[in-house]
Structures are given as structure tokens and as C-alpha cells.
Amino acid sequence: MRTETAVENPFALMTDPATVRQMIEKSESLSRLSQRKCHPLDRAVIRSASAELAAYDAKIDRTTIYLPPEEEKQAPVVRSFPASVN
């Protein structure tokens, strides 16, 4: 009965984590996925693909002219009328 409800309403799974774990363990498509763990933030430095690309990036960094931030514009004045005009 519980599984039928989960099939009809997938949001019902959010209220029953045990059923979710059970369905994950039984899933054939999930079991066929690669089990490799990735830790991309553990790498010390991300190096560029080639020296030519690194030289190009350095040239861009050296020749970039940074503009000063624009001055903040004042908000337009809004006038309110105490009584209706028409």
C-alpha cells in the first residue's frame, strides 16, 4: 500500500525516509551507476591547459583597464497629493 502511494505521489517519499532508502537499495538503475567518489576541492591548484593559454590570460590581466564604479544615481522625487486632483 505504501509503495503504491509513493508511485502515485512522489512527494509522499519526502515524509518517509526509510521507504526512500529501501527504494534506492532496490533500484537497478542506481546500482549500475559508477561508485567512484570525486573530491574536486581537494586539488591544490587548477593549472591551465597549456602555456600558450596561460600567457594569453596573463596578457589580458596586464592590459585590462578597470573603470571606476559608477556613481549612485539619486532616486527620482515622488510627490504625493493629499487630496484627489480630479
Side-chain angles (χ1 to χ4, degrees):
M1 181 77 177
R2 243 187 153 124
T3 308
E4 292 173 10
T5 305
V7 171
E8 293 170 10
N9 182 5
F11 296 105
L13 292 173
M14 289 196 245
T15 60
D16 190 8
T19 305
V20 173
R21 285 190 202 100
Q22 185 180 28
M23 291 180 81
I24 289 172
E25 290 171 2
K26 291 181 180 180
S27 172
E28 289 180 25
S29 57
L30 289 177
S31 65
R32 283 185 264 138
L33 291 175
S34 173
Q35 298 295 321
R36 185 178 67 135
K37 291 184 181 180
C38 296
H39 301 280
L41 298 178
D42 291 345
R43 296 183 192 144
V45 177
I46 299 173
R47 291 182 170 73
S48 63
S50 68
E52 183 180 328
L53 181 59
Y56 177 75
D57 286 344
K59 178 183 176 187
I60 295 295
D61 290 340
R62 283 191 312 269
T63 58
T64 301
I65 300 171
Y66 294 98
L67 300 174
E70 291 185 18
E71 294 179 12
E72 293 184 23
K73 297 177 183 175
Q74 294 182 357
V77 176
V78 179
R79 299 174 198 238
S80 59
F81 297 100
S84 81
V85 176
N86 294 342

